[in-house]
Amino acid sequence: MSNTWKLMKLMVKMQLSFAHRSTAEKSGYLILAVVMIPFGLLILTLLNEMIAVMYEAFSPTGDEAVILGILFVLMTVFYCFITIGTVLSSFYFAEDVESFVTLPFHPYQIAAGKAAVPFLSLYGINAVILLPALGFYGLHSGAGILYYCWSFFIWLLLPVLPFVLTAIAIMFIMRFVNISKNKDRSKVVAGLLGFVFVIGINVVIRLESGNQDMYQLAVEQGNLLELVTKFFPTAYISSSALTAPASLQGILYLILMIGISAGGIALFFTIGQKLYFKGVLGLSGGKRNTFTADTVEGYVKKKPLIYSLCKKEVLLILRTPTFFTQIFVQSLILPVLAIVLITMEMDGPIGGAGAQLADMNGKTVILASAALSVVIFGSNPASISSISRDGKSWFNHLYLPVPPSKVIMSKMLTAYLLNAISLILLSAAALWMINIPLPIWGAWFILSLLISWIASAAGVMVDLYSPKLDWTDEREVFKGRFIGIVPLAIEALVFGVILVIVLNIKSLQGLWPVSGALFIIFLLLALLTQRALKKITERRYHKLL
């Protein structure tokens, strides 16, 4: 265990050390910490209010433990979702993986070392959400000192089992999926795990809950805790341990939680020893291709330059696991989740939303729709990583006979394409599921195309102005950078001012007059943004290195 502990400390220092970070990056972390203070206070206030309301509702029936059960279930789901991406990136897709394989360490030791930072990241989430929530529950319930002691142990133990079970599932899948001849395909499948997980969990929870009145069920049956934690045994055990910490039952539940966590860690080491290397070694294999005259001719056939550049960008995103999950999956997760929610709520209020919109003021509807589009398309991960994705290979652009304007345009069109896919999915749900009136949809669709174009250009400009090209791991393109906030903040300010001004022009009423005015304003804004992108390209393109 001594070598395991040393390896874990080494990998934590390698990934979290500030020694290699620039002054600007260190300043960025300080600024973020200051900015997050009011945001953190807002989260704490909301948590306190939610727990207070729930405690007032459940305490008369003696079911206040349900609050803890709901909290632990939500946190467990969140742990699993976060772990999928971090484990895939750290265990299999980091640049240093194969370097550690050659060192004289057991597979379980390297797996433990690679797990250190992803596991510690869960405690960052714990410190922000779970720790204050447990404290607020203790204050509202008038709990004693023993509750807070037990809460600290539960706080430490709760992430263990979700993390190790998710990591084991990923190791098992990568052992059999990630064979060399299907390398690219397996990475794409692995990246989709997080996407499917979010949708699947939502479906399961909604199917389980149905349309039952949960509070009434608590009054009638008195077993709401078992129902809420039905699929999450550790949530039930943790809730039971904290409900009566001074009782023998509470102590036994805490001991059981400790035993389950220890068993999970032992199982992780055992499975890691058996499967980890087999999954990692599959990454280094290749595929023998057989070329014929027809296939070669197809590859070398002349195509439009902008088409070839866009194709290169799309393939880079699809074939690089980190880019695939951070860009492609994140771009589609919101529209697909919206479609799932709409499908499952067709018999509820959502099913009649189309008729309600038809009866509303056209001006209010189109302004609200435009504001929603700004939120959805305002921060496009493809645009804010457009230059940084190239990394140290950016210098290739400096001697290739390709105009800078074509390179930048291809990157912007790639980002715009992803937004367009999301827009088409949302449009399909709006037209065929909610039955939104065609005029409202048409106006929103056209304005959203312009908003998406402006957002894509803004994101490329921000990344062109301050790219991260010295990364050694694709995760660094997104990790610790606040670039996604900048274009979203600028767009929110600009579009917000425009929408407020239009809202207050009393003479401008009706769906089509308002939509026409917004179309002209957004079109002018798109032209100005495109001109600004051209200027910054001329100024920055050859100076990035």
Side-chain angles (χ1 to χ4, degrees):
M1 286 301 293
S2 175
N3 287 337
T4 305
W5 182 247
K6 290 178 181 177
L7 194 59
M8 291 171 68
K9 289 197 294 184
L10 173 65
M11 292 192 183
V12 169
K13 288 181 179 179
M14 286 175 60
Q15 295 189 49
L16 301 183
S17 173
F18 277 81
H20 64 285
R21 301 185 188 273
S22 64
T23 304
E25 199 169 354
K26 294 176 182 177
S27 302
Y29 280 107
L30 181 60
I31 293 171
L32 179 65
V34 173
V35 171
M36 288 298 291
I37 290 175
F39 184 66
L41 292 174
L42 176 63
I43 291 177
L44 292 178
T45 303
L46 291 175
L47 271 176
N48 185 34
E49 292 296 327
M50 288 171 59
I51 291 175
V53 171
M54 293 175 71
Y55 193 87
E56 185 178 350
F58 287 114
S59 57
T61 62
D63 281 317
E64 56 269 20
V66 171
I67 302 171
L68 294 173
I70 294 172
L71 176 64
F72 293 145
V73 166
L74 294 177
M75 292 304 297
T76 300
V77 172
F78 198 34
Y79 296 148
C80 294
F81 174 62
I82 295 295
T83 300
I84 290 173
T86 56
V87 167
L88 278 171
S89 298
S90 181
F91 280 44
Y92 296 99
F93 302 141
E95 293 290 326
D96 60 357
V97 171
E98 295 185 16
S99 301
F100 282 104
V101 172
T102 61
L103 297 178
F105 292 106
H106 290 286
Y108 80 87
Q109 293 174 323
I110 297 177
K114 301 296 289 183
V117 172
F119 185 63
L120 286 176
S121 66
L122 297 183
Y123 283 106
I125 299 168
N126 258 9
V128 174
I129 301 176
L130 183 59
L131 191 62
L134 290 173
F136 291 142
Y137 178 85
L139 291 174
H140 288 292
S141 63
I145 188 65
L146 201 58
Y147 164 83
Y148 293 100
C149 294
W150 266 219
S151 296
F152 178 72
F153 284 114
I154 296 297
W155 180 81
L156 288 174
L157 296 173
L158 193 67
V160 173
L161 200 63
F163 180 85
V164 299
L165 290 181
T166 306
I168 288 171
I170 291 173
M171 285 192 286
F172 183 81
I173 292 171
M174 294 300 287
R175 162 66 182 88
F176 295 102
V177 173
N178 196 25
I179 55 179
S180 58
K181 67 178 181 179
N182 288 319
K183 177 182 175 182
D184 291 335
R185 188 183 307 168
S186 65
K187 287 185 177 183
V188 171
V189 171
L192 282 169
L193 285 175
F195 184 68
V196 174
F197 177 82
V198 174
I199 305 301
I201 283 292
N202 193 277
V203 171
V204 169
I205 291 176
R206 288 187 170 271
L207 287 176
E208 178 64 23
S209 61
N211 294 318
Q212 300 179 73
D213 186 339
M214 302 302 285
Y215 180 69
Q216 186 65 30
L217 187 63
V219 174
E220 294 176 358
Q221 299 182 6
N223 61 351
L224 188 53
L225 179 61
E226 286 126 11
L227 179 65
V228 168
T229 59
K230 184 176 181 180
F231 299 105
F232 303 89
T234 53
Y236 178 80
I237 294 170
S238 301
S239 304
S240 300
L242 294 180
T243 303
S247 66
L248 177 61
Q249 182 183 14
I251 296 172
L252 290 176
Y253 273 124
L254 180 63
I255 294 173
L256 178 60
M257 189 68 182
I258 295 172
I260 290 175
S261 301
I265 294 172
L267 183 64
F268 174 79
F269 286 160
T270 304
I271 300 297
Q273 181 70 16
K274 298 287 185 183
L275 298 181
Y276 181 56
F277 272 7
K278 294 177 181 178
V280 169
L281 294 177
L283 292 168
S284 60
K287 178 183 177 181
R288 177 181 297 177
N289 290 313
T290 303
F291 291 98
T292 64
D294 293 336
T295 57
V296 171
E297 185 179 349
Y299 278 112
V300 300
K301 186 182 295 183
K302 186 176 180 180
K303 298 181 178 67
L305 178 59
I306 197 71
Y307 169 82
S308 299
L309 291 172
C310 288
K311 182 179 178 181
K312 178 183 78 71
E313 292 293 327
V314 171
L315 291 177
L316 177 65
I317 292 173
L318 295 180
R319 291 178 176 178
T320 307
T322 301
F323 295 157
F324 181 79
T325 53
Q326 295 285 343
I327 297 175
F328 185 78
V329 172
Q330 293 226 12
S331 297
L332 295 183
I333 195 168
L334 182 60
V336 173
L337 185 58
I339 290 174
V340 172
L341 294 178
I342 291 171
T343 303
M344 303 190 70
E345 297 290 342
M346 287 302 294
D347 295 332
I350 293 180
Q356 294 175 6
L357 288 175
D359 296 334
M360 291 177 64
N361 187 326
K363 180 177 183 178
T364 303
V365 171
I366 200 62
L367 289 175
S369 301
L372 181 63
S373 294
V374 174
V375 174
I376 295 174
F377 305 119
S379 183
N380 187 335
S383 65
I384 61 176
S385 64
S386 54
I387 311 300
S388 301
R389 285 196 302 269
D390 289 333
K392 295 175 183 177
S393 66
W394 173 261
F395 74 92
N396 293 332
H397 295 297
L398 303 183
Y399 62 80
L400 289 175
V402 179
S405 59
K406 297 286 187 182
V407 175
I408 299 301
M409 179 56 69
S410 69
K411 293 179 177 293
M412 201 198 84
L413 287 176
T414 301
Y416 187 68
L417 174 64
L418 290 177
N419 271 350
I421 294 173
S422 299
L423 182 58
I424 290 171
L425 290 174
L426 290 173
S427 296
L431 285 172
W432 288 295
M433 302 172 83
I434 307 181
N435 296 318
I436 287 181
L438 195 59
I440 294 176
W441 168 82
W444 169 76
F445 186 83
I446 293 172
L447 293 178
S448 295
L449 287 174
L450 288 173
I451 291 170
S452 178
W453 184 274
I454 296 167
S456 299
V460 173
M461 277 195 291
V462 171
D463 197 40
L464 184 60
Y465 185 80
S466 180
K468 186 176 182 63
L469 299 174
D470 59 345
W471 53 264
T472 56
D473 185 337
E474 292 91 348
R475 292 175 295 172
E476 296 176 30
V477 174
F478 308 95
K479 182 180 176 183
R481 297 183 76 208
F482 320 113
I483 192 171
I485 302 174
V486 177
L488 182 59
I490 295 173
E491 291 155 21
L493 177 62
V494 173
F495 283 108
V497 170
I498 292 172
L499 296 178
V500 169
I501 292 174
V502 172
L503 178 65
N504 287 279
I505 298 178
K506 302 300 182 183
S507 59
L508 196 59
Q509 298 292 332
L511 175 65
W512 292 116
V514 174
S515 299
L518 290 178
F519 176 79
I520 294 171
I521 295 171
F522 291 169
L523 182 60
L524 292 173
L525 192 57
L527 294 174
L528 289 174
T529 307
Q530 202 63 33
R531 183 172 179 81
L533 178 60
K534 181 181 178 182
K535 291 291 184 182
I536 196 172
T537 300
E538 295 171 353
R539 201 176 308 149
R540 293 283 301 164
Y541 188 86
H542 292 95
K543 298 180 180 179
L544 295 182
L545 292 179

